[in-house]
Amino acid sequence: MNHVPVLLKEVIEGLALQPGDTVVDATTGGGGHGKVIAEAIGKGGTLISLDADKEALIYAEKTLKDMQCHLCFQNINFRNLEKALQACNISKINKIIFDLGWSTLQLEHSKRGFSFLKNEPLVMTFQNKPNKGVLTAHTIVNTWDMKHIETIIKAYGEERFARAIANAIVKEREKSPIQYSDELGRIVKDAIPSRFYRRSIHPATKTFQALRIAVNDEIGALEDGLEKGFQSLKKDGRMAVISFHSLEDRTVKRFIKSKVKIRELVPITKKPIIPSEEEITHNPRSRSAKLRIAQKI
Ligand SMILES: C[S@@+](CC[C@H](N)C(=O)[O-])C[C@H]1O[C@@H](n2cnc3c(N)ncnc32)[C@H](O)[C@@H]1O
């Protein structure tokens, strides 16, 4: 299954792309947004495509191979944006887009345990081959103490049954280590009273979200990435951010607000743009998306 880019038209319009622009796609994924950006900036433009996941970039290189703009691919975390720009010989940019979280490609094909429906090792890093010693979901569920597991599930998953889930995880691992994503999915599901199940969302969704955020330090990376993106923008340059849950959106909203207060950014979207009913029907993953756009003064 291909990754369907979310709020595509809204991103392209909101970024006000011009031929010749230099644009950073901080979260390249399948290259869905990147391709339309590349078409809009044309031959004289430059697209810098980043992703922490090398496999995503290899895929995106194929998607973007016929584009006429200059292309520079960097397998790097966007929190290290300045290094990517240096490697591409770019000092300032006109636009930057962050489309946060995971892609359908990662969920379906990465074999890193992002899905509770698959029998995959509990890795959950965006990096396809995590370096030795890098934090994984396996380490969290099998070695962290119960309180610490409860804290992240509560904070990053906003899960009301965090304590019961942490308790169930610790009980299970006493029998034998928890190895696979579907196994963890079942443990979490069984820890939540069935009357609280919701029809459209698997009961393990929030816990998996929490583990992924913790493993990849997603909120810390977002704070760093937003600041570096802002620093790299030229005057009148724009940043667009698509978030998928309230922790991300809160971070983006707070960042924009703080820069607006000191007159460094002006919001282009007063309220976040959300997908239409039609988009949600075609692409259910878009249902929680929120797009915020701001311009540098
Ligand atoms: C939602 S997908 C992007 C999809 C893309 N816009 C498209 O249309 O195909 C998010 C991508 O961002 C990457 N990613 C997430 N956090 C990252 C970070 N801090 N630095 C670099 N890449 C990141 C993930 O590996 C994933 O491939």
Side-chain angles (χ1 to χ4, degrees):
M1 202 196 294
N2 286 338
H3 181 87
V4 181
V6 169
L7 292 167
L8 183 57
K9 186 168 138 283
E10 292 81 354
V11 166
I12 301 303
E13 278 174 15
L15 281 176
L17 294 164
Q18 303 295 322
D21 269 354
T22 299
V23 183
V24 170
D25 182 354
T27 50
T28 298
H33 287 104
K35 186 164 185 220
V36 183
I37 292 170
E39 282 162 0
I41 61 179
K43 225 168 150 176
T46 302
L47 175 63
I48 299 119
S49 298
L50 318 182
D51 206 296
D53 183 349
K54 183 107 201 263
E55 282 171 3
L57 277 189
I58 292 171
Y59 184 94
E61 279 187 45
K62 289 186 197 137
T63 311
L64 297 169
K65 72 176 184 334
D66 295 328
M67 297 296 109
Q68 298 208 314
C69 63
H70 304 283
L71 293 168
C72 184
F73 294 92
Q74 291 292 317
N75 177 211
I76 200 165
N77 193 305
F78 58 57
R79 74 192 315 170
N80 300 316
L81 175 66
E82 77 287 4
K83 290 198 182 123
L85 293 182
Q86 225 171 40
C88 297
N89 251 325
I90 301 281
S91 53
K92 290 282 180 189
I93 61 176
N94 303 102
K95 316 278 158 68
I96 182 163
I97 157 119
F98 298 85
D99 174 19
L100 302 170
W102 44 262
S103 73
T104 309
L105 301 168
Q106 288 166 327
L107 192 71
E108 297 292 332
H109 306 294
S110 73
K111 299 195 170 54
R112 273 172 265 152
F114 289 108
S115 169
F116 34 73
L117 301 176
K118 290 185 185 280
N119 180 251
E120 296 177 347
L122 284 165
V123 183
M124 291 200 200
T125 57
F126 286 135
Q127 265 179 302
N128 56 319
K129 285 193 184 131
N131 301 334
K132 210 162 175 251
V134 159
L135 181 64
T136 64
H138 187 277
T139 305
I140 295 179
V141 298
N142 288 297
T143 67
W144 282 18
D145 64 56
M146 198 173 87
K147 190 76 205 140
H148 205 171
I149 296 177
E150 177 190 342
T151 303
I152 58 149
I153 296 177
K154 200 171 194 167
Y156 297 152
E158 299 182 317
E159 169 62 72
R160 63 188 288 199
F161 295 104
R163 178 165 300 171
I165 293 166
N167 199 359
I169 287 173
V170 170
K171 267 206 179 116
E172 280 298 319
R173 77 182 191 203
E174 278 166 6
K175 294 181 215 155
S176 61
I178 304 167
Q179 302 284 14
Y180 299 103
S181 45
D182 55 354
E183 185 187 355
L184 179 63
R186 275 194 301 277
I187 295 167
V188 174
K189 186 173 176 219
D190 291 347
I192 298 175
S194 57
R195 66 179 184 286
F196 291 100
Y197 291 177
R198 285 168 56 192
R199 201 155 29 105
S200 53
I201 301 176
H202 189 285
T205 303
K206 290 179 173 181
T207 301
F208 271 59
Q209 171 185 302
L211 288 169
R212 201 201 68 208
I213 293 177
V215 163
N216 296 289
D217 184 22
E218 287 182 40
I219 303 301
L222 178 58
E223 286 169 347
D224 291 353
L226 289 173
E227 181 59 38
K228 298 219 175 138
F230 167 79
Q231 296 297 344
S232 311
L233 281 178
K234 291 183 183 166
K235 182 178 173 303
D236 297 331
R238 287 192 180 187
M239 60 199 312
V241 190
I242 305 175
S243 63
F244 289 89
H245 54 80
S246 51
L247 280 183
E248 282 174 349
D249 185 53
R250 228 175 285 150
T251 306
V252 178
K253 191 173 154 188
R254 206 179 302 139
F255 175 81
I256 294 178
K257 206 168 158 194
S258 69
K259 296 286 185 199
V260 168
K261 205 166 161 197
I262 53 173
R263 295 178 195 283
E264 290 187 337
L265 274 180
V266 53
I268 300 297
T269 48
K270 299 271 182 297
K271 281 200 170 147
I273 299 175
I274 56 171
S276 62
E277 285 299 322
E278 197 191 341
E279 176 165 1
I280 295 171
T281 308
H282 282 118
N283 182 15
R285 183 181 177 267
S286 70
R287 69 178 176 256
S288 52
K290 284 190 178 157
L291 167 64
R292 293 184 189 269
I293 301 169
Q295 179 165 315
K296 190 163 183 174
I297 295 174

